[in-house]
């Protein structure tokens, strides 16, 4: 009851004037009137007043200081609905809906509210009593448990990630960070490579931030039609390099850009292969290194956008896809409307990880189907032609290459097996059978003793080797361990010979950087003879092979060759605004092509950094590199990954 209504009641009981009039107004000067029946003397009145005010104070104290007093006030003294502001427009507020729950009913002052408040208070009292009976140690343990539960709930909310993605407890794979190199000279060289990364990144940031690539001479953005109007290729491609080089500020700004700006809801025709290896691969690696949910979410979102590319009669994907309309097509120049082996064959690693991280098997199913189609086909001399028609399921032109158009298909067979913790027997067999056919039909030795991998055109050899083909040295060495036991040494040796040939292709130029393609005919060896094959666009493949050879043999010459490349890059490719490719590596003067390729940051500089790192950084037992040098963890079977491995 409101306190104000108690005062008149008291007044009437005591008689008018007893309290309301001035003290002693009728008794004169403090004299005491004779007490009649029903009348109080002044001291009695005073005592009564004291008792009553104590009672009032107690009541108010109870109302204001008991738990949930606000609810009591609003629910008991006032009608709660009356406290709510009127809805806009003065329309009556809707009554609480059925199913609004007991809390809603109590808040609305519904019939259950008083009972609830009473029950709440009783429970609180009971709990307080129980707590008081506990030993201090028990109380401390309870507090600890409560804290842990709160932390777990918070973590659970963070890990819940993107809506639709299953919760996932992030465990950073072994080797995401490594030790400093023990040798001071090696440490210094590694620092230099980090400085190169900083120069490339800072200039991209200054002149082309948010665009795909940098034009380091004209100091502006460069866009390539490979990514349609998806933006930020350099940022996504560089994320993991920034991470392993411990460039924390830069990684943070790149992550923030991805969070706020990386957008796949664009009307864009993209290259499925390029977007997969750079964007999906870059996001996956960034997730596995840092555990940041945004990367997992974006990778899966992009993977879903790529799925319509597989809507062909055979399931062999289109090369190009409009990610808004879902309409695909092939490169107009590709033989008979074919898809390209190195493109549809270079989705496997990323798509298996997309299934692993999303819990959606569709990604792995799509790439396993590619395997099935390939396994049903006859292969000329056991070789895989570069062109396959996605409608008829027939090979196009019989052109076989371990360089452009074919290269990373072979790489992904081996790495699929390694990434599956060596359970993907199918991938393994396809790889070693293919290498056998390559050795028989494509690998040759020049009269000067250089081993090279030629190209095969309908049974005729073209004695040319592309810069891209130089990755194969590292691949052969990486696969040596799984080769039949009598062939292990041979595969390492093959890797070493390819590394030597590719080093020669660098060494025989004026600028000590290798041409796009070099030949072994017309009296030359490891030299480009055609003007349109003399350029160098900051490609990584030769350095990639040095890195694998170093890790697998620890022969110091690979570090020396890698350092020669660093010096040449600094001398001829470094400019004020970043790093540029060269039009002719045989010329006396640099003619820059004015493009800083995103793979310079994701691959060339990363492989150089790894070449001068200890083997504990991204160790091969735990990581495989996608074809854009994005590290993906091995799905170890004893970590409960058996299913993904065998899909
Ligand atoms: C990269 O994008 C990848 O390595 C791809 O497999 C081939 N070409 C470039 C680098 O040269």
């Amino acid at each position: 009851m409101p306190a104000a209504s108690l005062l008149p009641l008291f007044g009437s009981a005591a008689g008018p004037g007893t309290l309301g009039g001035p003290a002693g107004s009728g008794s004169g000067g403090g004299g005491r009137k004779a007490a009649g029946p029903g009348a109080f003397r002044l001291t009695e009145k005073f005592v009564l007043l004291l008792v009553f005010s104590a009672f009032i104070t107690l009541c108010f104290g109870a109302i204001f200081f008991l738990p949930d007093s606000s609810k009591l006030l609003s629910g008991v003294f006032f009608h709660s609905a009356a406290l709510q502001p009127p809805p806009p427009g003065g329309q009556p507020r809707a009554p609480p809906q059925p199913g609004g729950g007991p809390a809603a009913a109590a808040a609305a002052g519904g019939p259950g509210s008083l009972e609830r408040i009473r029950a709440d208070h009783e429970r609180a009292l009971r709990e307080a009593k129980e707590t008081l009976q506990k030993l201090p140690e028990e109380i401390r343990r309870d507090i600890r448990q409560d804290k842990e539960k709160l932390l777990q709930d918070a973590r659970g909310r963070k890990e819940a990630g993107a809506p639709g993605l299953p919760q996932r407890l992030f465990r950073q794979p072994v080797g995401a960070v490594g030790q400093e190199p023990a040798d001071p000279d090696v440490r210094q060289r590694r620092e230099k490579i980090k400085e190169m990364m900083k120069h490339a990144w800072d200039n991209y940031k200054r002149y082309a931030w948010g665009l795909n690539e940098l034009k380091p001479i004209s100091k502006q953005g460069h866009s390539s039609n490979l990514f349609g109007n998806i933006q930020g290729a350099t940022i996504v491609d560089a994320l993991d390099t920034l991470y392993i080089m411990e460039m924390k500020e830069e990684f943070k700004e790149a992550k923030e850009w991805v969070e706020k700006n990386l957008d796949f809801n664009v009307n864009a025709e993209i290259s499925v292969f390029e977007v997969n290896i750079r964007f999906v691969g870059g996001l996956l690696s960034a997730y596995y290194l840092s555990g940041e949910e945004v990367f997992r979410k974006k990778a899966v979102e992009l993977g879903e956008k790529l799925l319509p590319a597989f809507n062909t009669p055979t399931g062999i994907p289109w090369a190009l896809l409009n990610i808004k309309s879902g309409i695909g097509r092939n490169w107009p120049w590709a033989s008979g409307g074919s898809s390209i082996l190195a493109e549809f064959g270079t989705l496997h690693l990323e798509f298996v990880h997309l299934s692993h991280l999303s819990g959606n098997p569709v990604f792995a199913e799509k790439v396993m189907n590619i395997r099935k189609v390939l396994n049903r086909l006859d292969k000329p001399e056991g070789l895989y032609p570069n062109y396959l028609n996605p409608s008829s399921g027939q090979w196009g032109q019989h052109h076989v290459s371990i360089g452009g158009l074919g290269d990373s298909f072979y790489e992904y067979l081996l790495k699929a097996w390694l990434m599956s913790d060596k359970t993907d027997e199918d991938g393994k067999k396809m790889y070693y059978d293919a290498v056998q056919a390559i050795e028989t039909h494509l690998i040759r030795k020049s009269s000067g003793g250089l081993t090279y991998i030629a190209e095969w055109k309908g049974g005729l050899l073209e004695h040319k080797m592309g810069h891209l083909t130089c990755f194969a040295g590292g691949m052969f060495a990486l696969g040596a361990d799984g080769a039949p036991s009598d062939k292990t040494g041979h595969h390492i040796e093959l890797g070493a010979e390819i590394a030597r040939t590719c080093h020669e292709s660098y060494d025989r130029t004026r600028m000590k950087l290798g041409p796009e393609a070099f030949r072994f005919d017309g009296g030359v060896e490891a030299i480009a003879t055609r003007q349109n094959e003399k350029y160098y666009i900051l490609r990584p493949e030769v350095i990639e092979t040095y890195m694998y050879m170093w890790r697998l043999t620890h022969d110091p010459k690979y570090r020396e060759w890698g350092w020669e490349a660093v010096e040449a890059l600094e001398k001829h490719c470094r400019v004020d605004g970043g790093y540029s490719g060269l039009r002719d590596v045989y010329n006396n003067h640099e003619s820059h092509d004015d493009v800083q390729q995103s793979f310079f940051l994701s691959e060339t500089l990363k492989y150089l950094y790894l070449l001068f790192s200890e083997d504990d950084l991204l160790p091969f037992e735990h990581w495989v590199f996608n074809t854009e040098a994005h590290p993906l963890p091995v799905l170890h079977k004893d970590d409960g990954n058996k299913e993904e491995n065998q899909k």
Side-chain angles (χ1 to χ4, degrees):
M1 191 185 288
S5 58
L6 289 167
L7 292 172
L9 200 134
F10 177 82
S12 66
T18 48
L19 284 173
S25 61
S27 61
R32 193 172 181 266
K33 275 187 187 168
F40 293 100
R41 277 184 304 176
L42 193 61
T43 43
E44 287 166 332
K45 278 183 190 167
F46 185 63
V47 168
L48 262 175
L49 179 66
L50 271 181
V51 168
F52 193 74
S53 50
F55 173 69
I56 298 287
T57 312
L58 208 72
C59 289
F60 270 88
I63 289 165
F64 284 106
F65 296 111
L66 277 177
D68 275 347
S69 56
S70 58
K71 271 190 207 159
L72 194 70
L73 279 170
S74 63
V76 179
F77 294 146
F78 314 108
H79 195 282
S80 63
L83 291 174
Q84 297 174 6
Q91 293 303 307
R93 192 172 290 276
Q97 294 301 304
S113 59
L114 271 177
E115 284 76 6
R116 285 195 64 74
I117 291 160
R118 195 169 301 125
D120 281 353
H121 290 173
E122 277 165 11
R123 186 172 38 79
L125 268 174
R126 216 175 33 250
E127 282 174 6
K129 268 191 213 151
E130 283 167 10
T131 306
L132 284 172
Q133 282 162 5
K134 286 184 181 170
L135 295 170
E137 185 38 49
E138 287 176 317
I139 297 174
R140 273 197 288 274
R141 189 202 54 211
D142 289 354
I143 293 172
R144 249 196 331 268
Q145 281 174 352
D146 281 355
K147 265 192 191 165
E148 268 161 31
K149 190 169 176 315
L150 277 173
L151 271 177
Q152 255 173 20
D153 290 352
R155 229 178 279 139
R157 277 195 300 278
K158 197 173 170 215
E159 277 151 11
L165 281 186
Q167 283 201 19
R168 183 168 192 280
L169 192 68
F170 175 71
R171 267 180 297 158
Q172 196 181 44
V174 179
V177 281
Q179 287 166 5
E180 281 271 287
D183 179 336
D185 292 341
V186 175
R187 223 169 29 235
Q188 209 184 342
R189 289 184 167 188
R190 197 171 84 142
E191 266 310 302
K192 171 66 198 167
I193 294 153
K194 184 169 169 178
E195 186 277 327
M196 293 167 75
M197 178 70 181
K198 189 142 176 52
H199 182 67
W201 177 261
D202 285 349
N203 280 293
Y204 165 76
K205 196 176 139 191
R206 188 168 308 132
Y207 301 118
W209 184 243
L211 302 172
N212 280 325
E213 288 170 324
L214 164 70
K215 285 166 89 68
I217 305 285
S218 43
K219 299 185 177 170
Q220 61 187 35
H222 170 73
S223 60
S224 146
N225 57 2
L226 299 173
F227 316 118
N229 46 11
I230 297 181
Q231 294 298 333
T234 294
I235 297 179
V236 179
D237 238 2
L239 276 163
D240 50 12
T241 309
L242 295 173
Y243 188 94
I244 65 162
M245 291 186 181
E246 299 182 46
M247 295 171 67
K248 297 194 175 141
E249 262 311 301
E250 290 84 350
F251 181 82
K252 191 166 157 262
E253 62 201 3
K255 187 197 110 187
E256 281 166 8
W257 185 89
V258 168
E259 261 164 357
K260 292 189 195 127
N261 302 294
L262 184 59
D263 184 13
F264 307 128
N265 294 312
V266 287
N267 187 358
E269 188 180 62
I270 50 106
S271 153
V272 174
F273 161 77
E274 294 289 354
V275 165
N276 175 59
I277 63 169
R278 302 193 201 205
F279 283 87
V280 178
L283 291 165
L284 288 171
S285 289
Y287 170 70
Y288 281 115
L289 289 168
S290 70
E292 295 287 353
E293 272 296 323
V294 61
F295 300 129
R296 178 168 76 123
K297 188 182 129 225
K298 293 276 182 190
V300 175
E301 186 191 332
L302 181 54
E304 283 167 358
K305 293 264 177 203
L306 298 183
L307 287 174
F310 294 82
N311 295 337
T312 64
T314 54
I316 295 291
W318 300 113
L320 299 165
L321 176 74
N322 183 307
I323 54 172
K324 183 157 191 243
S325 66
I327 294 173
R329 66 181 177 113
N330 275 335
W331 296 107
W333 49 260
S335 154
S338 291
S339 303
I340 307 293
L341 183 69
E343 297 199 328
F344 65 76
T346 309
L347 304 168
H348 197 100
L349 306 182
E350 296 82 0
F351 274 53
V352 166
H353 269 290
L354 286 176
S355 280
H356 181 66
L357 291 183
S358 67
N360 184 351
V362 70
F363 302 103
E365 284 162 10
K366 297 290 181 198
V367 289
M368 288 317 292
N369 177 61
I370 296 176
R371 287 263 188 92
K372 274 193 206 128
V373 173
L374 289 174
N375 276 329
R376 278 201 300 264
L377 283 167
D378 280 339
K379 286 161 268 301
E381 311 286 351
L383 295 165
Y384 290 84
N386 290 338
Y387 300 103
L388 180 63
N389 189 300
S391 303
S392 65
Q394 299 300 310
W395 298 117
Q397 196 188 330
H398 282 195
H399 172 204
V400 177
S401 156
I402 314 306
L405 307 182
D407 48 8
S408 42
F409 160 69
Y410 305 96
E411 176 186 355
Y412 271 36
L413 292 177
L414 171 65
K415 290 181 177 175
W417 174 61
L418 295 173
M419 198 180 83
S420 72
D421 204 5
K422 303 187 177 171
T423 60
D424 179 357
E425 290 296 329
D426 209 29
K428 178 183 184 188
K429 181 171 176 352
M430 289 169 81
Y431 172 72
Y432 289 104
D433 287 354
V435 172
Q436 186 58 55
I438 290 165
E439 271 214 81
T440 311
H441 298 286
L442 271 64
I443 297 187
R444 295 288 179 267
K445 202 169 231 170
S446 70
S447 49
L450 294 177
T451 301
Y452 63 95
I453 311 176
E455 306 210 346
W456 193 85
K457 291 189 169 159
L460 294 177
L461 282 188
E462 187 178 12
H463 297 270
K464 153 187 137 174
M465 188 165 165
H467 192 290
L468 290 166
T469 320
C470 287
F471 90 96
M475 177 179 76
F476 292 140
L478 181 67
D481 222 20
S485 50
D486 57 322
K487 293 261 174 92
T488 299
H490 173 65
H491 280 226
I492 284 271
E493 194 41 44
L494 204 51
E497 286 181 26
I498 298 298
R500 184 162 77 95
T501 301
C502 292
H503 175 251
E504 285 302 313
S505 79
Y506 274 46
D507 206 41
R508 294 176 188 197
T509 69
R510 164 81 186 65
M511 295 187 181
K512 306 292 173 199
L513 290 164
E516 181 66 5
F518 42 94
R519 298 194 174 247
F520 296 86
D521 55 16
V524 301
E525 295 197 356
I527 287 179
T529 50
R530 303 185 184 182
Q531 194 52 39
N532 64 359
E533 293 173 346
K534 293 183 178 170
Y535 62 89
Y536 171 69
I537 56 166
L538 305 172
R539 285 198 192 278
E541 291 77 15
V542 176
I543 291 163
E544 174 182 352
T545 279
Y546 296 162
M547 191 280 290
Y548 280 102
M549 292 311 302
W550 161 256
R551 280 264 176 117
L552 296 162
T553 66
H554 285 165
D555 183 333
K557 75 171 175 247
Y558 297 113
R559 277 188 165 166
E560 286 315 309
W561 291 353
W563 193 248
E564 287 171 12
V566 167
E567 288 176 328
L569 284 165
E570 286 298 273
K571 191 162 174 203
H572 302 292
C573 300
R574 187 174 179 134
V575 292
D576 280 353
Y579 288 87
S580 166
L582 299 162
R583 292 212 172 85
D584 183 349
V585 287
Y586 298 92
N587 211 321
N588 283 332
H589 304 288
E590 293 96 11
S591 169
H592 291 118
D593 70 3
D594 198 13
V595 182
Q596 179 176 284
Q597 306 278 347
S598 78
F599 52 68
F600 181 64
L601 291 88
S602 76
E603 296 193 73
T604 313
L605 292 176
K606 186 188 287 126
Y607 285 134
L608 278 172
Y609 189 77
L610 290 172
L611 180 61
F612 292 96
S613 293
E614 300 289 315
D615 297 355
D616 65 345
L617 181 58
L618 302 174
F620 293 169
E621 313 88 84
H622 294 284
W623 298 87
V624 293
F625 294 89
N626 90 340
T627 195
E628 188 79 0
H630 295 305
L632 299 171
V634 169
L635 294 168
H636 288 293
K637 44 184 183 282
D638 45 4
D639 288 347
N641 294 314
K642 210 154 173 247
E643 226 175 88
E644 274 91 8
N645 294 340
Q646 288 171 349
K647 255 172 212 140

